[in-house]
Amino acid sequence: MTQPLEILPVLGLPEIEVDADLGALIAKAVELRHGDILLVTSKIVSKAEGRLVHAVDREAAIDAEAVRVVARRGRTRIVQNRQGLVMAAAGVDASNTAPGTVLLLPLDPDGSARAIRARIHELTGRQVAVIVTDTFGRPWRNGLTDVAIGAAGLDVLEDHRGRTDSHGNELVLTMTAVADELAAAGDLVKGKATGTPVAVVRGLAAAVTEQDGDGIRPLVRPIEEDMFRLGTSEAVREAVTLRRTVREFSEEPVHPEAVRRAVAAAVTAPAPHHTTPWRFVLLESPAARTELLDAMLAAWQRDLRELDGWDEAKVARRTARGDVLRKAPYLVVPCLVMDGCHPYPDPRRAAAEREMFTVAIGAAVQNLLVTLAGEGYGTAWVSSTMFCRDTVREVLHLPDTWDPMGAVAVGRPLAQPKDRPPRGAAEFITVR
């Protein structure tokens, strides 16, 4: 960009009431030019759209607007709101409103921007862009700034990928959040307490498009790409909630280091007698997975026929459950080792000793699954290796003292699991 820019406050706007014609009020307050970019504070959009509500309890209003809590510290909550934006308090604002009332964000900020743009074009014939802005804090940065929460008439992202920089290096990841840059620039002349809710950026006519465009959606990072979707203490709770059994995986390979990080979390689990009763066999090659699964299938089919007396149809139905392991791009076989267990002649104590170690491997596997969920992987812990341990040990060349405790299928979910209702703890608790 080489042309000069002007950032102009729009002065003289009246106090905005419900059903106010924002497009007409702005067009009357400032002489707009073709290619101007309007920056409109969401507060006046909310007022015009009747999003002022009586709320004795602001927290209840936040509850109603939030769809997911990302982080909480004291009374401060970072949440994802119904528009998909991650922000403090779901955008519920108690400033510059009458006592006992709060302002909610517009229901459809993109729609609001399109309506203002269309009205201005109708009244003036000018083709402008409109950005609806709101104030955000930012992770790892102090201070607030305005960002775009709705847009019409411009591309909110400028994609530089495939271009070269001044040294001839190809740009691989660079995408500029143009709408956010404009929102922050406009805030320099709007301010927070000056009663100037609209600004005009002039000098970027080339950025204004004939069509309304995709709105703000390209700026909102998809949840599956969000590396920072979890907050502080919420990270563990949310990762536990995210841990779901996934049976359909994409073809995307699993990063081996992600699994190793999960194993590092697994081995922090509690264990009896200061032991480390876990081993994890990582099947990273297709050949190793196929060899193991073929041998397990043959052993299962033989035992179900000869030992359990099942017919072929029943055998086929039962062994089909192992398909989830074949569809996964990565397998982990957790093994229990009893090194360090106390020998007890009494069979009851010996059984309890093994149960203690079995609980430990379960805790370790849970750590593994939760950590993988936090990395965006889906998992399915399948018990099948426990029914043919000798076969597994033989194929994988494992010591006789290693007891395979199922197998964990790992991969990127083919589709995001459906939300499930929260499960309260009350019915599982007994207090004495």
Side-chain angles (χ1 to χ4, degrees), residues 223-230 235 238-239 242-243 252-265 367-379 410-413 416:
I223 195 167
E224 62 272 14
E225 297 177 10
D226 187 356
M227 296 175 64
F228 310 107
R229 64 171 300 197
L230 304 181
E238 183 73 3
L242 288 173
R243 193 224 58 76
E252 181 181 343
V254 173
H255 198 292
E257 288 306 313
V259 179
R260 284 159 174 77
R261 288 191 292 271
V263 171
N367 283 4
L368 179 91
L369 302 181
V370 168
T371 303
L372 288 170
E375 299 247 8
Y377 289 105
T379 58
V410 184
R412 296 289 185 192
Q416 288 299 312

Side-chain angles (χ1 to χ4, degrees), residues 174-187:
T174 303
M175 300 176 73
T176 302
V178 175
D180 284 346
E181 291 181 327
L182 290 166
D187 197 43

Side-chain angles (χ1 to χ4, degrees), residues 121-175:
H121 186 265
E122 176 188 353
L123 295 172
T124 69
R126 305 296 187 192
Q127 190 78 284
V128 302
V130 176
I131 299 174
V132 178
T133 71
D134 198 63
T135 303
F136 274 47
R138 297 147 305 147
W140 306 293
R141 306 281 286 188
N142 285 323
L144 305 172
T145 186
D146 266 20
V147 302
I149 66 166
L154 82 162
D155 294 325
V156 296
L157 281 177
E158 184 176 2
D159 193 346
H160 297 274
R161 292 174 299 180
R163 304 180 189 176
T164 55
D165 62 18
S166 59
H167 295 280
N169 301 308
E170 182 178 353
L171 301 175
V172 178
L173 298 175
T174 303
M175 300 176 73

Side-chain angles (χ1 to χ4, degrees), residues 176-255:
T176 302
V178 175
D180 284 346
E181 291 181 327
L182 290 166
D187 197 43
L188 294 173
V189 299
K190 286 191 299 176
K192 299 300 179 192
T194 59
T196 308
V198 180
V200 176
V201 171
R202 185 165 289 162
L204 282 178
V208 177
T209 60
E210 183 176 348
Q211 302 300 319
D212 287 336
D214 293 331
I216 212 65
R217 180 171 50 83
L219 281 175
V220 180
R221 191 184 299 276
I223 195 167
E224 62 272 14
E225 297 177 10
D226 187 356
M227 296 175 64
F228 310 107
R229 64 171 300 197
L230 304 181
T232 50
S233 60
E234 285 71 24
V236 173
R237 291 197 296 272
E238 183 73 3
V240 170
T241 302
L242 288 173
R243 193 224 58 76
R244 306 281 292 278
T245 296
V246 173
R247 301 186 182 278
E248 297 286 342
F249 301 98
S250 74
E251 295 181 357
E252 181 181 343
V254 173
H255 198 292

Side-chain angles (χ1 to χ4, degrees), residues 46 110 140 173-175 197 204 239 248 303 326 335 362 381 384:
S46 294
D110 286 331
W140 306 293
L173 298 175
T174 303
M175 300 176 73
L204 282 178
E248 297 286 342
D303 291 347
R326 290 191 182 272
C335 295
W381 187 12
S384 54

